[in-house]
């Protein structure tokens, strides 16, 4: 049960004159709150009332038309927009960009101060043994929901409209879940994310990372492994990959190939199934990545296909039912052209003249791994109205949650079997296919996100913004 807390007056807010001042004030409030929490816990008790999340308020004084190409930083009406914020240091660049855009577009007044939401000590780093007493909150799910993301009426029709997509409590539990599933703290997570469900793909990614770190002119500065071990540039020249521990006791091993600006690449082995895909993207979304892309295997449905062909998903037929209550099946999940074109270019670059092995088409995702174990008539009824060219288990969930969270998404799959054409997935054939395809497949995806990182503004698309129920921030 939720521990009752004493009523608190509305915390005072102080007007700030610039975005820089706002960010510094937010960081100072959060750091001071965390320091106070450590003091209280170390002392075994004390006054916890000052341990609160910082709050940002932007009063848009006047609505006016702005540049129609603006991808975010706009509002539909004047009024007060507010957000509670957690871990502002890791979101500093994002907050700065969003506030700058908003305040440049409209005449605004900005206020920053402590909120009336206390920070549970379980979410604060460096806190030792936790003593719960009056006024010290336990982690609770009371304020953990996606009402803002899913455009709940009440979330947008109160005295304050949402500035950001998530409450501070939702942000904190998402970060905790990322660390729980991957075993690595969120600080090194990069802005471009690749998903796979094969350890061989993560191994190829590590090989690429070591090659890059050994170069004098590489954009990458370090590689964080699932164990938390960090490989730096000066270590990579003589490093033998066989001496690295690439496995993990955690459910979703994560690899962060880091750049100085955070626009490097994170690869996560999410395992199999749409539930895993939803779980991790529900959490990653709070960090506002620039894009996420699935690289996996699929069953080909076209008899002209061959094992190893590549499928670039340009439509998503959802048969996993996982997000139907959040995004109805009557809502189309569009492809993101900026991601599509870049993936296609990367395949052309990696495969050269042999790029005829790639085709675009509809990806059908199911929650049933053994979907092909049906009678011929059942398969006929299931597929007769579909233009699907490939079946997998994760792509549509990743795309639907990208659509829902306004994170650009894409899918590049490799055909591993043709179950409708007497080529089922069997161990010997599968292992041969994996050996022949894994390097090029990973390099295509890596090359694509490197190109996207060169011009991230191309991803700043209005295509994922909603007509109603939208917040000013990206």
């Amino acid at each position: 049960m939720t521990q009752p807390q004493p009523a608190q007056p509305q915390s005072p807010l102080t007007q700030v004159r610039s975005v820089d001042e706002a960010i510094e004030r937010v960081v100072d409030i959060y750091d001071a709150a965390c320091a106070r929490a450590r003091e209280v816990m170390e002392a075994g008790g004390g006054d916890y009332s000052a341990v609160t999340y910082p709050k940002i308020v932007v009063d848009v004084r006047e609505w006016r038309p702005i540049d129609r190409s603006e991808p975010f930083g706009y509002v539909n009406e004047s009024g007060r927009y507010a957000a509670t914020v957690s871990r502002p240091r890791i979101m500093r660049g994002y907050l700065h960009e969003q506030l700058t855009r908003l305040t440049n577009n409209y005449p605004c007044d900005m206020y920053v101060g402590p909120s009336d939401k206390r920070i549970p000590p379980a979410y604060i780093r460096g806190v030792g043994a936790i003593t719960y007493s009056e006024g010290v909150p336990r982690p609770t799910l009371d304020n953990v929901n996606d009402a803002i993301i899913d455009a709940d009426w009440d979330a947008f029709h109160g005295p304050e409209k949402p500035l950001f997509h998530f409450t501070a409590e939702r942000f904190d539990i998402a970060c905790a879940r990322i660390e729980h599933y991957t075993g690595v703290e969120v600080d090194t997570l990069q802005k471009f994310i690749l998903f796979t469900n094969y350890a061989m793909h993560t191994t190829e990614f590590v090989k690429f990372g070591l090659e890059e770190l050994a170069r004098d002119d590489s954009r990458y500065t370090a590689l964080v492994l699932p164990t938390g071990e960090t490989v730096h540039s000066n270590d990579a020249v003589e490093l033998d990959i066989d001496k690295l521990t690439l496995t993990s006791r955690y459910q979703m091993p994560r690899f962060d190939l880091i750049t100085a600006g955070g626009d490097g690449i994170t690869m996560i082995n999410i395992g199999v199934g749409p539930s895993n895909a939803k779980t991790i993207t529900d959490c990653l979304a709070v960090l506002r990545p620039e894009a996420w892309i699935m690289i996996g295997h699929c069953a080909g449905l076209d008899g002209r296909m061959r094992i190893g062909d590549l499928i670039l998903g340009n439509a998503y037929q959802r048969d996993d039912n996982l997000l139907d209550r959040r995004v109805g099946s009557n809502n189309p999940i569009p492809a993101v052209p900026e991601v599509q074109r870049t993936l296609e270019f990367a395949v052309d670059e990696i495969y050269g003249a042999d790029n005829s092995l790639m085709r675009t088409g509809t990806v059908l995702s199911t929650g049933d791994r053994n979907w092909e174990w049906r009678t011929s008539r059942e398969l006929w009824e299931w597929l007769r109205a579909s233009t699907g060219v490939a079946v997998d288990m994760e792509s549509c969930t990743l795309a639907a949650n990208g659509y829902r969270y306004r994170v650009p998404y894409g899918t590049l799959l490799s055909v591993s079997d043709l179950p409708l054409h007497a080529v089922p997935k069997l161990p010997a054939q599968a292992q041969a296919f994996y050996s022949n395809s894994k390097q090029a497949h990973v390099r295509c995806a890596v090359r694509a996100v490197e190109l996207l990182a060169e011009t991230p503004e191309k991803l700043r698309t209005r295509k994922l913004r909603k007509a109603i129920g939208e917040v000013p921030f990206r």
Side-chain angles (χ1 to χ4, degrees), residues 174-231:
C175 289
R177 290 274 174 90
I178 292 169
E179 294 176 7
H180 167 74
Y181 284 110
T182 70
V184 183
E185 293 183 345
V186 297
D187 304 61
T188 57
L189 204 139
Q190 300 295 285
K191 296 176 183 176
F192 293 88
I193 301 172
L194 298 178
F195 297 116
T196 181
N197 38 34
Y198 288 95
M200 62 182 176
H201 286 157
T202 59
T203 300
E204 288 299 324
F205 182 69
V206 170
K207 289 179 181 177
F208 168 80
L210 294 178
E211 290 172 10
E212 283 294 307
L213 290 175
R215 289 175 44 206
D216 293 333
D217 59 346
S218 177
R219 65 191 288 262
Y220 302 105
T221 59
L223 174 65
V224 178
L225 302 176
T227 58
E229 178 184 0
T230 301
V231 179

Side-chain angles (χ1 to χ4, degrees), residues 162-452:
L163 187 64
F164 184 47
H165 309 80
F166 306 97
T167 64
E169 297 95 324
R170 169 71 166 83
F171 188 98
D172 270 344
I173 198 168
C175 289
R177 290 274 174 90
I178 292 169
E179 294 176 7
H180 167 74
Y181 284 110
T182 70
V184 183
E185 293 183 345
V186 297
D187 304 61
T188 57
L189 204 139
Q190 300 295 285
K191 296 176 183 176
F192 293 88
I193 301 172
L194 298 178
F195 297 116
T196 181
N197 38 34
Y198 288 95
M200 62 182 176
H201 286 157
T202 59
T203 300
E204 288 299 324
F205 182 69
V206 170
K207 289 179 181 177
F208 168 80
L210 294 178
E211 290 172 10
E212 283 294 307
L213 290 175
R215 289 175 44 206
D216 293 333
D217 59 346
S218 177
R219 65 191 288 262
Y220 302 105
T221 59
L223 174 65
V224 178
L225 302 176
T227 58
E229 178 184 0
T230 301
V231 179
H232 296 281
S233 298
N234 54 355
D235 303 322
V237 178
E238 304 296 334
L239 198 60
D240 184 349
I241 190 173
D242 294 329
K243 295 181 180 179
L244 296 175
T245 302
L246 305 185
T247 57
S248 174
R249 64 187 179 90
Y250 294 93
Q251 186 174 343
M252 299 184 185
R254 183 179 119 213
F255 303 77
D256 298 331
L257 189 53
I258 296 172
T259 65
D263 60 347
I265 310 169
T266 285
M267 178 178 276
I268 307 176
N269 182 346
I270 63 174
V272 175
S275 182
N276 281 3
K278 179 181 183 297
T279 295
I280 194 63
T281 49
D282 281 347
C283 299
L284 292 169
V286 304
L287 297 169
R288 310 315 295 148
E290 295 281 9
W292 57 49
I293 294 172
M294 179 68 192
I295 55 169
H297 294 152
C298 64
L301 298 181
D302 189 327
R304 295 167 294 175
M305 290 179 176
R306 300 292 182 268
I307 301 300
D309 283 2
L310 295 176
I311 304 296
L312 177 58
N314 69 351
Y316 298 93
Q317 182 179 341
R318 297 154 53 202
D319 196 47
D320 52 40
N321 307 122
L322 198 60
L323 283 165
D324 288 359
R325 289 197 306 164
R326 303 288 190 178
V327 182
S329 57
N330 59 318
N331 284 88
I333 307 299
V336 179
E338 294 79 5
V339 176
Q340 297 294 102
R341 287 192 292 266
T342 308
L343 281 168
E344 189 169 6
F345 183 87
V347 171
D348 288 345
E349 186 176 301
I350 298 297
Y351 281 89
D354 195 25
N355 63 4
S356 60
L357 54 77
M358 190 194 79
R359 63 176 291 180
T360 59
T362 299
V363 176
L364 191 164
S365 289
T366 174
D368 180 6
R369 174 57 191 88
N370 297 319
W371 60 268
E372 66 268 47
W373 296 5
R374 310 184 192 188
T375 66
S376 297
R377 180 167 186 159
E378 287 174 326
L379 288 171
W380 179 279
E381 293 298 325
W382 187 48
L383 296 172
R384 65 191 177 96
S386 174
T387 59
V389 297
V391 177
D392 82 340
M393 298 186 69
E394 299 83 22
S395 291
C396 289
T397 301
L398 293 170
N401 241 10
Y403 170 86
R404 178 174 165 236
Y405 287 119
R406 292 75 153 170
V407 176
Y409 48 85
T411 295
L412 184 66
L413 303 175
S414 186
V415 175
S416 60
D417 55 318
L418 298 159
L420 302 187
H421 305 283
V423 188
K425 185 178 286 187
L426 297 173
Q429 163 252 311
Q431 292 304 317
F433 156 68
Y434 295 157
S435 178
N436 292 332
S437 69
K438 58 186 179 182
Q439 183 183 57
H441 193 181
V442 170
R443 297 295 172 108
C444 286
V446 166
R447 182 59 182 146
V449 293
E450 286 188 322
L451 292 168
L452 290 170

Side-chain angles (χ1 to χ4, degrees), residues 36-47 129 131:
R36 178 56 184 161
R38 296 183 195 104
E39 291 173 2
V40 172
M41 292 301 109
E42 187 175 346
D47 182 6
T131 301

